[in-house]
Structures are given as C-alpha cells and as structure tokens.
Amino acid sequence: MQRLAYACAEAVAAQLKPGITERAAARMQREWLRERGVQDWFHLPFAWFGDRTAFVNFRIPLQFFPTNRELEPGMPFILDMAPVHKGFTADIGYSGCLGLNPVHDRLLADLEAHRELILREVRERRPLKEIYEDVDRLMVRQGYANRHRAYPFGVIAHKIDPVRQRRWSPTLFGFGTQSLKGLASDALHGHRDGWSPLWSPYTFSDHPPQPGLWAVEPHLGFRGTGAKFEEILVVTDSKNPQESAFWLDDDLPHVRRWQEEKAA
C-alpha cells in the first residue's frame, strides 16, 4: 500500500507545472488513487507549495487544506496522502521542487540523519518523547526549524491500524471516519495502559515505542522552505534489535536519492 501511495506521488509530481494549484494537485492524487481502487482514507490528499511547505504563519488546522496557491519555477512542494485499500493504510509525504532549488536540496539531504536517528533510538527502546527531543536537537544543530510541531498535538508520528472495509466510507474534516475511530480506540486503550498512539513532545508520549505500525514524518523548515519524508516504521516486541524496529521499505524516492548522491 505504501508503494502505491509513493507511486501516486511520483506520478503526480511528474505532471506538476507552473500555474497548477494546490487544490488541483490534491485532486490529481485523489483521482489517481481512486482509479486504482482506493475508496477510503486515513486523510484525504494534501498539497503545499512555496512557503506553505514550511507552514509559515499556520495557526489553525484549516490552513493545512489545499488552497489556490499556484506553483512557480524553483518552488518547493509537498504531496501528502493517506489512502486505505483492502484494509491497509499508508500515510506518506513526498517533497519535491519545480526546477532547481539548492536550499531544498540541502533540506532533503539532511533528512537522512533523522531517519537514521529515529530508527536507532526506537531500537534502543528510548521513550518517544526523548526521541522527539533528540530530533529537535539535531534540527537545531543543522540550522533548521521543527515544522512538524505545527501539526495538531505537535506530532512527529502516529500509529496506524488495519481498517475494516465498508461500502460507504465518509470523511470528516478531511479524515476518514473509520480511521479516526481506530485512532480513538487506540487512544482509549493506550490511556488505560500508559501509552499514546500520538508521538509528540508532551508527557503522554513519555513511554517506549508501542509495537505496531507508525507513520513517521520529520519535517524541516528553513526561511520559507520546508521538506519532509513520511513513511511507515514497523515496531515489534522482538528482543533482537534488528528485528525490534525497521522501516517497512527502503526502496523509496528519498532513500534512492540519498543512495544516488553517495554513489555520485
């Protein structure tokens, strides 16, 4: 499912051109996925262009929704989608740029260290809150601002669960109601057992990683330019460090980019 979502992101990114709006880019993602059988969503597709990739002046949740902002040459963009298909959920973020933008290139390159840090510290069973703080410190050392803090509850990640397929799959404020029910159920059970399905900088995330699938999205910002990846991290209860946590897939656009840069 994650590969399907990333295939959608790459297909839509290849069609972006000057003058296209965020709303049109979000619609392209929806249509591409619906043509391939997607009928439900954890959340509907988003698209952010220009300084909106860094959530500049975002104050309320409504500002996350796609606007009539038009794409221009040299402008960064982020495509973010969370489709559900056959009960499986993906939640991905794809950062790109229309043409050359050295600042954006640098942000993307520097995200690699965050992917490595997160995996290493999850395997060490560090509390999620502490890992979040370490990501923050790494961003500061790199000279960037933490932009995932602008998300609701400041989350860098959230748990995702299988979703029961239904003939009718309504959405509420852009989120699939079935997925929201699952997240609410996790929150209820987690509160009782001392963990949260939201990975945040707050006390309710001061616990070791809970086994399951986590959609992780470190988001860097620098002077009106933002970049992130979002992909699934698998956490298990294995005592073997290598098997206790791993990224679901290493054949993803941002990982391939890093490998190509090293090879070059």
Short mmCIF file of all heavy atoms in Angstrom, two decimals, residues 1-14 77 79 81 92-97 104 108-109 111-112 115 228-232 249-261:
data_model
loop_
_atom_site.label_atom_id
_atom_site.label_comp_id
_atom_site.label_asym_id
_atom_site.label_seq_id
_atom_site.Cartn_x
_atom_site.Cartn_y
_atom_site.Cartn_z
N MET A 1 0.83 -1.20 0.00
CA MET A 1 0.00 0.00 0.00
C MET A 1 0.87 1.26 0.00
O MET A 1 0.57 2.24 -0.68
CB MET A 1 -0.89 -0.03 1.25
CG MET A 1 -1.95 1.04 1.26
SD MET A 1 -3.05 0.90 -0.13
CE MET A 1 -3.16 2.59 -0.65
N GLN A 2 1.96 1.23 0.79
CA GLN A 2 2.85 2.38 0.83
C GLN A 2 3.47 2.61 -0.55
O GLN A 2 3.62 3.77 -0.98
CB GLN A 2 3.94 2.16 1.88
CG GLN A 2 4.93 3.32 1.98
CD GLN A 2 5.84 3.21 3.19
OE1 GLN A 2 5.56 3.76 4.23
NE2 GLN A 2 6.93 2.48 3.04
N ARG A 3 3.84 1.53 -1.24
CA ARG A 3 4.43 1.69 -2.57
C ARG A 3 3.43 2.30 -3.55
O ARG A 3 3.81 3.10 -4.41
CB ARG A 3 4.94 0.35 -3.09
CG ARG A 3 6.22 -0.09 -2.41
CD ARG A 3 6.92 -1.21 -3.16
NE ARG A 3 8.21 -1.49 -2.55
CZ ARG A 3 9.04 -2.42 -2.98
NH1 ARG A 3 8.72 -3.16 -4.01
NH2 ARG A 3 10.21 -2.61 -2.38
N LEU A 4 2.16 1.93 -3.42
CA LEU A 4 1.13 2.50 -4.29
C LEU A 4 1.03 4.01 -4.05
O LEU A 4 0.94 4.80 -4.99
CB LEU A 4 -0.22 1.83 -4.02
CG LEU A 4 -1.38 2.32 -4.90
CD1 LEU A 4 -1.19 1.84 -6.34
CD2 LEU A 4 -2.72 1.84 -4.35
N ALA A 5 1.05 4.41 -2.78
CA ALA A 5 0.97 5.83 -2.45
C ALA A 5 2.17 6.60 -2.98
O ALA A 5 2.02 7.71 -3.53
CB ALA A 5 0.84 6.02 -0.93
N TYR A 6 3.36 6.03 -2.85
CA TYR A 6 4.55 6.71 -3.37
C TYR A 6 4.54 6.73 -4.90
O TYR A 6 5.00 7.71 -5.52
CB TYR A 6 5.83 6.06 -2.85
CG TYR A 6 6.37 6.76 -1.62
CD1 TYR A 6 6.31 6.17 -0.37
CD2 TYR A 6 6.91 8.04 -1.72
CE1 TYR A 6 6.79 6.84 0.76
CE2 TYR A 6 7.39 8.71 -0.59
CZ TYR A 6 7.32 8.09 0.64
OH TYR A 6 7.79 8.76 1.74
N ALA A 7 4.01 5.69 -5.53
CA ALA A 7 3.87 5.70 -7.00
C ALA A 7 2.95 6.83 -7.43
O ALA A 7 3.19 7.51 -8.43
CB ALA A 7 3.35 4.35 -7.49
N CYS A 8 1.89 7.05 -6.65
CA CYS A 8 0.97 8.15 -6.91
C CYS A 8 1.71 9.49 -6.80
O CYS A 8 1.59 10.36 -7.67
CB CYS A 8 -0.20 8.11 -5.95
SG CYS A 8 -1.30 9.55 -6.07
N ALA A 9 2.48 9.66 -5.73
CA ALA A 9 3.21 10.91 -5.51
C ALA A 9 4.16 11.18 -6.68
O ALA A 9 4.22 12.32 -7.18
CB ALA A 9 3.98 10.84 -4.20
N GLU A 10 4.89 10.15 -7.10
CA GLU A 10 5.84 10.36 -8.20
C GLU A 10 5.12 10.66 -9.51
O GLU A 10 5.58 11.50 -10.30
CB GLU A 10 6.74 9.13 -8.34
CG GLU A 10 7.71 8.96 -7.18
CD GLU A 10 8.74 7.87 -7.42
OE1 GLU A 10 8.35 6.69 -7.47
OE2 GLU A 10 9.93 8.20 -7.54
N ALA A 11 3.99 9.99 -9.75
CA ALA A 11 3.23 10.23 -10.98
C ALA A 11 2.67 11.64 -11.02
O ALA A 11 2.74 12.33 -12.05
CB ALA A 11 2.09 9.21 -11.11
N VAL A 12 2.12 12.10 -9.89
CA VAL A 12 1.56 13.45 -9.83
C VAL A 12 2.67 14.50 -9.90
O VAL A 12 2.56 15.50 -10.61
CB VAL A 12 0.70 13.64 -8.57
CG1 VAL A 12 0.30 15.09 -8.36
CG2 VAL A 12 -0.55 12.76 -8.64
N ALA A 13 3.76 14.27 -9.18
CA ALA A 13 4.89 15.22 -9.20
C ALA A 13 5.40 15.43 -10.62
O ALA A 13 5.76 16.55 -11.00
CB ALA A 13 6.01 14.73 -8.29
N ALA A 14 5.42 14.35 -11.40
CA ALA A 14 5.92 14.44 -12.79
C ALA A 14 5.01 15.28 -13.67
O ALA A 14 5.44 15.77 -14.72
CB ALA A 14 6.07 13.04 -13.37
N PHE A 77 7.53 21.87 -3.19
CA PHE A 77 6.18 21.38 -2.95
C PHE A 77 6.23 20.12 -2.10
O PHE A 77 7.25 19.42 -2.06
CB PHE A 77 5.43 21.12 -4.27
CG PHE A 77 6.05 20.07 -5.15
CD1 PHE A 77 5.82 18.71 -4.95
CD2 PHE A 77 6.87 20.44 -6.21
CE1 PHE A 77 6.40 17.74 -5.76
CE2 PHE A 77 7.47 19.48 -7.04
CZ PHE A 77 7.22 18.13 -6.82
N LEU A 79 3.63 16.73 -1.37
CA LEU A 79 2.41 15.96 -1.58
C LEU A 79 2.28 15.00 -0.41
O LEU A 79 3.24 14.32 -0.06
CB LEU A 79 2.46 15.19 -2.90
CG LEU A 79 2.76 16.02 -4.16
CD1 LEU A 79 2.86 15.10 -5.38
CD2 LEU A 79 1.71 17.10 -4.38
N MET A 81 -0.41 12.14 1.38
CA MET A 81 -1.66 11.39 1.22
C MET A 81 -1.68 10.18 2.14
O MET A 81 -0.62 9.66 2.51
CB MET A 81 -1.82 10.94 -0.23
CG MET A 81 -0.84 9.89 -0.67
SD MET A 81 -0.69 9.70 -2.46
CE MET A 81 0.47 11.01 -2.85
N ILE A 92 1.95 8.87 3.58
CA ILE A 92 3.26 9.23 3.03
C ILE A 92 3.36 10.72 2.75
O ILE A 92 2.36 11.41 2.54
CB ILE A 92 3.59 8.43 1.75
CG1 ILE A 92 2.70 8.87 0.57
CG2 ILE A 92 3.44 6.94 1.98
CD1 ILE A 92 3.43 9.52 -0.55
N GLY A 93 4.59 11.21 2.78
CA GLY A 93 4.87 12.59 2.41
C GLY A 93 6.00 12.60 1.40
O GLY A 93 7.02 11.94 1.58
N TYR A 94 5.80 13.34 0.31
CA TYR A 94 6.77 13.39 -0.79
C TYR A 94 7.17 14.84 -1.02
O TYR A 94 6.32 15.69 -1.31
CB TYR A 94 6.14 12.81 -2.06
CG TYR A 94 7.02 12.85 -3.28
CD1 TYR A 94 7.83 11.77 -3.62
CD2 TYR A 94 7.03 13.97 -4.12
CE1 TYR A 94 8.64 11.80 -4.75
CE2 TYR A 94 7.83 14.01 -5.26
CZ TYR A 94 8.63 12.93 -5.57
OH TYR A 94 9.42 12.96 -6.68
N SER A 95 8.45 15.15 -0.87
CA SER A 95 8.96 16.51 -1.08
C SER A 95 9.64 16.61 -2.42
O SER A 95 10.47 15.77 -2.77
CB SER A 95 9.96 16.87 0.02
OG SER A 95 9.31 16.98 1.27
N GLY A 96 9.29 17.65 -3.16
CA GLY A 96 9.91 17.88 -4.45
C GLY A 96 10.06 19.36 -4.72
O GLY A 96 9.75 20.21 -3.88
N CYS A 97 10.55 19.66 -5.91
CA CYS A 97 10.76 21.06 -6.28
C CYS A 97 10.59 21.18 -7.78
O CYS A 97 11.01 20.29 -8.54
CB CYS A 97 12.17 21.49 -5.86
SG CYS A 97 12.39 23.26 -5.91
N HIS A 104 16.37 23.65 -0.94
CA HIS A 104 15.52 22.46 -0.84
C HIS A 104 16.35 21.19 -0.96
O HIS A 104 16.13 20.22 -0.22
CB HIS A 104 14.45 22.50 -1.94
CG HIS A 104 13.44 21.42 -1.82
ND1 HIS A 104 13.47 20.26 -2.56
CD2 HIS A 104 12.36 21.29 -1.00
CE1 HIS A 104 12.45 19.49 -2.22
NE2 HIS A 104 11.77 20.08 -1.28
N LEU A 108 16.53 18.17 1.94
CA LEU A 108 16.28 16.76 1.64
C LEU A 108 17.47 15.90 2.04
O LEU A 108 17.30 14.82 2.61
CB LEU A 108 15.98 16.57 0.16
CG LEU A 108 14.54 16.83 -0.31
CD1 LEU A 108 14.43 16.59 -1.81
CD2 LEU A 108 13.55 15.94 0.43
N ALA A 109 18.68 16.37 1.73
CA ALA A 109 19.88 15.60 2.08
C ALA A 109 20.00 15.45 3.60
O ALA A 109 20.36 14.38 4.10
CB ALA A 109 21.12 16.29 1.51
N LEU A 111 17.72 15.30 5.80
CA LEU A 111 16.69 14.45 6.41
C LEU A 111 17.21 13.03 6.67
O LEU A 111 16.69 12.32 7.53
CB LEU A 111 15.45 14.38 5.52
CG LEU A 111 14.43 15.52 5.67
CD1 LEU A 111 13.44 15.50 4.51
CD2 LEU A 111 13.69 15.42 7.01
N GLU A 112 18.23 12.62 5.93
CA GLU A 112 18.74 11.25 6.09
C GLU A 112 19.18 10.98 7.52
O GLU A 112 18.92 9.90 8.07
CB GLU A 112 19.90 10.99 5.12
CG GLU A 112 20.42 9.57 5.19
CD GLU A 112 21.55 9.28 4.22
OE1 GLU A 112 22.12 10.23 3.66
OE2 GLU A 112 21.87 8.09 4.03
N ARG A 115 16.25 10.05 9.72
CA ARG A 115 15.75 8.68 9.52
C ARG A 115 16.62 7.70 10.29
O ARG A 115 16.12 6.75 10.90
CB ARG A 115 15.75 8.36 8.02
CG ARG A 115 14.98 7.08 7.64
CD ARG A 115 14.98 6.94 6.13
NE ARG A 115 14.09 5.87 5.66
CZ ARG A 115 14.46 4.65 5.36
NH1 ARG A 115 15.74 4.29 5.53
NH2 ARG A 115 13.59 3.75 4.91
N LYS A 228 10.11 17.21 4.02
CA LYS A 228 9.92 16.09 4.95
C LYS A 228 9.85 14.79 4.16
O LYS A 228 9.74 14.80 2.93
CB LYS A 228 8.64 16.27 5.75
CG LYS A 228 7.35 16.06 4.95
CD LYS A 228 6.16 15.93 5.88
CE LYS A 228 4.89 15.62 5.10
NZ LYS A 228 3.75 15.29 5.97
N PHE A 229 9.97 13.70 4.87
CA PHE A 229 9.50 12.42 4.33
C PHE A 229 8.47 11.91 5.33
O PHE A 229 8.44 12.33 6.49
CB PHE A 229 10.65 11.41 4.16
CG PHE A 229 11.31 10.95 5.44
CD1 PHE A 229 10.71 9.99 6.25
CD2 PHE A 229 12.54 11.46 5.83
CE1 PHE A 229 11.32 9.55 7.43
CE2 PHE A 229 13.16 11.03 7.00
CZ PHE A 229 12.54 10.09 7.80
N GLU A 230 7.60 11.06 4.87
CA GLU A 230 6.72 10.33 5.78
C GLU A 230 6.60 8.91 5.27
O GLU A 230 6.32 8.68 4.10
CB GLU A 230 5.33 10.97 5.86
CG GLU A 230 4.44 10.27 6.87
CD GLU A 230 3.10 10.95 7.10
OE1 GLU A 230 2.73 11.82 6.29
OE2 GLU A 230 2.43 10.60 8.09
N GLU A 231 6.86 7.97 6.17
CA GLU A 231 6.82 6.55 5.80
C GLU A 231 6.55 5.72 7.04
O GLU A 231 6.56 6.22 8.18
CB GLU A 231 8.13 6.14 5.13
CG GLU A 231 9.35 6.37 6.00
CD GLU A 231 10.63 5.81 5.39
OE1 GLU A 231 10.66 4.59 5.11
OE2 GLU A 231 11.59 6.58 5.23
N ILE A 232 6.34 4.43 6.83
CA ILE A 232 5.93 3.54 7.91
C ILE A 232 7.14 2.90 8.59
O ILE A 232 7.99 2.30 7.93
CB ILE A 232 4.97 2.46 7.41
CG1 ILE A 232 3.65 3.11 6.95
CG2 ILE A 232 4.69 1.41 8.49
CD1 ILE A 232 2.69 2.16 6.27
N ASP A 249 10.03 -0.23 4.17
CA ASP A 249 10.57 -0.34 2.82
C ASP A 249 11.73 0.64 2.67
O ASP A 249 11.64 1.79 3.10
CB ASP A 249 9.46 0.01 1.80
CG ASP A 249 9.83 -0.32 0.37
OD1 ASP A 249 10.95 -0.83 0.14
OD2 ASP A 249 9.00 -0.07 -0.52
N ASP A 250 12.82 0.18 2.07
CA ASP A 250 13.95 1.07 1.79
C ASP A 250 14.00 1.49 0.33
O ASP A 250 14.86 2.29 -0.05
CB ASP A 250 15.28 0.41 2.18
CG ASP A 250 15.50 0.43 3.70
OD1 ASP A 250 15.14 1.44 4.33
OD2 ASP A 250 16.03 -0.56 4.22
N ASP A 251 13.09 0.97 -0.48
CA ASP A 251 13.06 1.33 -1.89
C ASP A 251 12.04 2.46 -2.09
O ASP A 251 10.99 2.28 -2.71
CB ASP A 251 12.71 0.11 -2.76
CG ASP A 251 12.84 0.40 -4.24
OD1 ASP A 251 13.51 1.40 -4.60
OD2 ASP A 251 12.26 -0.35 -5.05
N LEU A 252 12.39 3.63 -1.54
CA LEU A 252 11.50 4.79 -1.58
C LEU A 252 12.25 5.96 -2.21
O LEU A 252 13.49 6.00 -2.19
CB LEU A 252 11.05 5.16 -0.17
CG LEU A 252 10.24 4.08 0.57
CD1 LEU A 252 9.91 4.54 1.99
CD2 LEU A 252 8.97 3.73 -0.18
N PRO A 253 11.52 6.95 -2.77
CA PRO A 253 12.19 8.02 -3.53
C PRO A 253 13.29 8.74 -2.75
O PRO A 253 14.39 8.98 -3.29
CB PRO A 253 11.04 8.97 -3.87
CG PRO A 253 9.83 8.11 -3.91
CD PRO A 253 10.06 7.06 -2.85
N HIS A 254 13.03 9.10 -1.49
CA HIS A 254 14.05 9.85 -0.74
C HIS A 254 15.27 8.98 -0.42
O HIS A 254 16.40 9.47 -0.44
CB HIS A 254 13.47 10.47 0.53
CG HIS A 254 12.66 9.53 1.37
ND1 HIS A 254 11.37 9.17 1.05
CD2 HIS A 254 12.95 8.88 2.53
CE1 HIS A 254 10.91 8.35 1.98
NE2 HIS A 254 11.85 8.14 2.87
N VAL A 255 15.03 7.69 -0.15
CA VAL A 255 16.15 6.79 0.15
C VAL A 255 16.98 6.55 -1.11
O VAL A 255 18.23 6.57 -1.06
CB VAL A 255 15.64 5.45 0.73
CG1 VAL A 255 16.81 4.52 1.04
CG2 VAL A 255 14.81 5.69 1.99
N ARG A 256 16.31 6.35 -2.24
CA ARG A 256 17.03 6.18 -3.51
C ARG A 256 17.85 7.43 -3.83
O ARG A 256 18.99 7.34 -4.31
CB ARG A 256 16.05 5.89 -4.65
CG ARG A 256 15.40 4.51 -4.58
CD ARG A 256 14.76 4.13 -5.90
NE ARG A 256 13.70 5.03 -6.30
CZ ARG A 256 12.41 4.85 -5.98
NH1 ARG A 256 12.04 3.81 -5.25
NH2 ARG A 256 11.50 5.71 -6.40
N ARG A 257 17.30 8.59 -3.55
CA ARG A 257 18.02 9.86 -3.80
C ARG A 257 19.32 9.90 -3.00
O ARG A 257 20.38 10.26 -3.52
CB ARG A 257 17.10 11.02 -3.44
CG ARG A 257 17.72 12.40 -3.63
CD ARG A 257 16.83 13.48 -3.04
NE ARG A 257 17.45 14.78 -3.11
CZ ARG A 257 17.11 15.75 -3.94
NH1 ARG A 257 16.14 15.56 -4.83
NH2 ARG A 257 17.73 16.91 -3.92
N TRP A 258 19.24 9.54 -1.70
CA TRP A 258 20.45 9.55 -0.86
C TRP A 258 21.48 8.56 -1.38
O TRP A 258 22.67 8.85 -1.41
CB TRP A 258 20.08 9.22 0.59
CG TRP A 258 19.15 10.21 1.22
CD1 TRP A 258 19.08 11.55 0.96
CD2 TRP A 258 18.15 9.94 2.21
NE1 TRP A 258 18.09 12.13 1.74
CE2 TRP A 258 17.51 11.17 2.52
CE3 TRP A 258 17.75 8.79 2.87
CZ2 TRP A 258 16.48 11.27 3.45
CZ3 TRP A 258 16.72 8.88 3.81
CH2 TRP A 258 16.10 10.11 4.10
N GLN A 259 21.02 7.39 -1.79
CA GLN A 259 21.94 6.37 -2.30
C GLN A 259 22.62 6.83 -3.59
O GLN A 259 23.82 6.62 -3.79
CB GLN A 259 21.19 5.05 -2.54
CG GLN A 259 20.74 4.38 -1.25
CD GLN A 259 19.74 3.24 -1.47
OE1 GLN A 259 19.15 3.12 -2.54
NE2 GLN A 259 19.54 2.42 -0.45
N GLU A 260 21.85 7.51 -4.46
CA GLU A 260 22.40 8.01 -5.72
C GLU A 260 23.43 9.11 -5.45
O GLU A 260 24.45 9.19 -6.14
CB GLU A 260 21.28 8.52 -6.61
CG GLU A 260 20.44 7.39 -7.23
CD GLU A 260 19.10 7.88 -7.75
OE1 GLU A 260 18.89 9.12 -7.78
OE2 GLU A 260 18.26 7.05 -8.12
N GLU A 261 23.14 9.97 -4.45
CA GLU A 261 24.07 11.05 -4.14
C GLU A 261 25.40 10.48 -3.62
O GLU A 261 26.47 10.99 -3.94
CB GLU A 261 23.45 11.99 -3.09
CG GLU A 261 22.37 12.91 -3.69
CD GLU A 261 21.59 13.67 -2.65
OE1 GLU A 261 21.76 13.39 -1.44
OE2 GLU A 261 20.81 14.56 -3.04
#
